[in-house]
């Protein structure tokens, strides 16, 4: 692990919240808020990978970098692979961190934590989890669970991801956070794989990697960042960032 790059895939085609990346939060488009959190992580250069000129222009106005990608990508992983090949054709960046473009409240420290497991050369992909504390989330299929074997405090080897309530029995359940740090060779291999049977059944892309024998490790973080998918989520994100801004002003 020598030279990470952070890439944020973003597109305008959202059904529940049209033009989602450009939605205003604290005076800036949401995609710019996500870009700022990634820059604050301080682990490497940050770029937005998009197929929409409007998104690229918004990022550029804020002083950020955007790279245009094809419109026909099936997933964010495919989009960031095209982007890193364009940005870094010589392969200098050996770790690619994929931060979803709808996580404006994510803690920059969580982004930085995602690359830690890659210090072990046996790990192909790293990701994040948080303890599920609300009872209703334990049985909610929209809350993806990580089933993993503890390696050390706050560090797991992921064995499975599921929408079911798992594992069975006493003990904590872990909410998977869809942020990934890939070794570049692992990302290249991953996007070249066909969708796998369990991926198709559970509708979870990360199962493709596990079914192909790739190793995914997970780092425990304090809380789950708010993913913005609906107008209600957007209002919550605005409130959270407004409260943080006020808190920063009071302590400065």
């Amino acid at each position: 692990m020598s030279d990470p790059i952070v890439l944020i895939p973003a597109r305008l085609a959202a059904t529940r919240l049209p033009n989602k990346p450009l939605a205003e939060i604290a005076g800036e488009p949401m995609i710019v808020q996500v870009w700022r959190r990634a820059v604050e992580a301080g682990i490497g250069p940050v770029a937005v990978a998009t197929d929409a000129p409007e998104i690229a222009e918004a990022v550029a106005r804020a002083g950020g970098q955007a790279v245009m990608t094809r419109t026909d990508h099936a997933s964010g992983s495919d989009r960031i692979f095209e982007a890193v090949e364009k940005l870094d054709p010589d392969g200098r960046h050996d770790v690619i961190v994929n931060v979803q473009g709808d996580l404006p409240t994510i803690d920059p420290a969580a982004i930085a934590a995602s690359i830690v497991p890659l210090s072990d050369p046996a790990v192909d992909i790293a990701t994040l989890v948080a303890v599920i504390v609300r009872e209703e989330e334990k049985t909610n299929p929209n809350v993806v669970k990580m089933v993993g074997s503890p390696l050390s405090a706050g560090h797991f080897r992921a064995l499975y991801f599921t929408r079911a309530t798992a594992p069975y029995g006493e003990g904590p359940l872990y909410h998977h956070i869809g942020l990934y740090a890939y070794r570049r060779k692992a990302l290249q291999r991953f996007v070249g794989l066909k969708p796998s049977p369990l991926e198709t059944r559970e509708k979870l892309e990360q199962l493709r990697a596990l079914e192909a024998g790739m190793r995914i490790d997970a780092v425990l973080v304090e809380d789950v960042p708010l993913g913005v998918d609906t107008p209600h989520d957007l209002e919550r994100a605005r409130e959270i960032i407004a409260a943080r801004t006020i808190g920063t002003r009071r302590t400065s």
Side-chain angles (χ1 to χ4, degrees):
M1 184 172 58
S2 59
D3 200 347
I5 184 171
V6 183
L7 295 176
I8 307 167
R11 60 193 185 100
L12 289 178
T15 54
R16 287 187 288 177
L17 190 60
N19 296 327
K20 179 168 70 171
L22 301 179
E24 182 273 330
I25 299 176
E28 292 186 312
M30 178 165 63
I31 190 62
V32 172
Q33 292 287 355
V34 179
W35 170 78
R36 292 197 184 282
R37 303 295 89 74
V39 170
E40 290 162 7
I43 59 174
V46 180
V48 173
T50 186
D51 59 3
E54 302 95 320
I55 293 175
E57 290 163 8
V59 173
R61 282 196 299 270
Q65 182 179 19
V67 58
M68 296 301 298
T69 58
R70 302 199 319 264
T71 60
D72 60 346
H73 285 303
S75 70
S77 302
D78 297 299
R79 192 174 305 282
I80 65 165
F81 182 68
E82 181 192 354
V84 76
E85 291 291 285
K86 284 186 172 180
L87 288 169
D88 182 33
D90 297 328
R92 185 169 64 90
H93 296 292
D94 56 351
V95 169
I96 297 97
V97 181
N98 180 355
V99 179
Q100 292 182 35
D102 59 1
L103 300 177
T105 68
I106 191 167
D107 183 354
I111 299 174
S114 72
I115 66 173
V116 173
L118 296 180
S119 61
D120 181 347
V123 179
D124 297 298
I125 304 168
T127 191
L128 304 176
V129 294
V131 175
I132 297 176
V133 295
R134 297 171 61 182
E135 281 300 316
E136 64 270 23
E137 291 188 348
K138 294 179 180 180
T139 55
N140 185 343
N142 294 315
V143 175
V144 177
K145 291 84 178 174
M146 185 275 308
V147 179
S149 180
L151 299 176
S152 61
H155 182 186
F156 305 85
R157 179 168 182 173
L159 303 177
Y160 194 63
F161 297 88
T162 182
R163 296 182 182 278
T165 302
Y168 177 79
E170 294 297 322
L173 298 179
Y174 296 98
H175 185 156
H176 177 234
I177 299 165
L179 182 153
Y180 299 94
Y182 295 90
R183 292 192 191 283
R184 187 158 180 166
K185 290 182 178 179
L187 177 61
Q188 182 176 19
R189 181 186 174 200
F190 178 79
V191 298
L193 294 170
K194 294 180 179 180
S196 64
L198 288 171
E199 171 191 3
T200 303
R201 181 169 176 170
E202 292 252 24
K203 296 182 173 57
L204 296 174
E205 186 182 49
Q206 62 271 36
L207 292 176
R208 187 190 317 173
L210 289 182
E211 287 188 82
M214 301 173 76
R215 176 169 166 178
I216 303 177
D217 278 19
V219 174
L220 183 67
V221 296
E222 288 298 315
D223 55 18
V224 178
L226 172 64
V228 176
D229 289 315
T230 67
H232 176 68
D233 295 336
L234 179 60
E235 288 306 315
R236 285 183 62 201
R238 286 168 173 162
E239 292 168 3
I240 291 168
I241 291 182
R244 286 181 184 174
T245 303
I246 293 170
T248 301
R249 287 172 181 167
R250 287 176 176 170
T251 56
S252 60

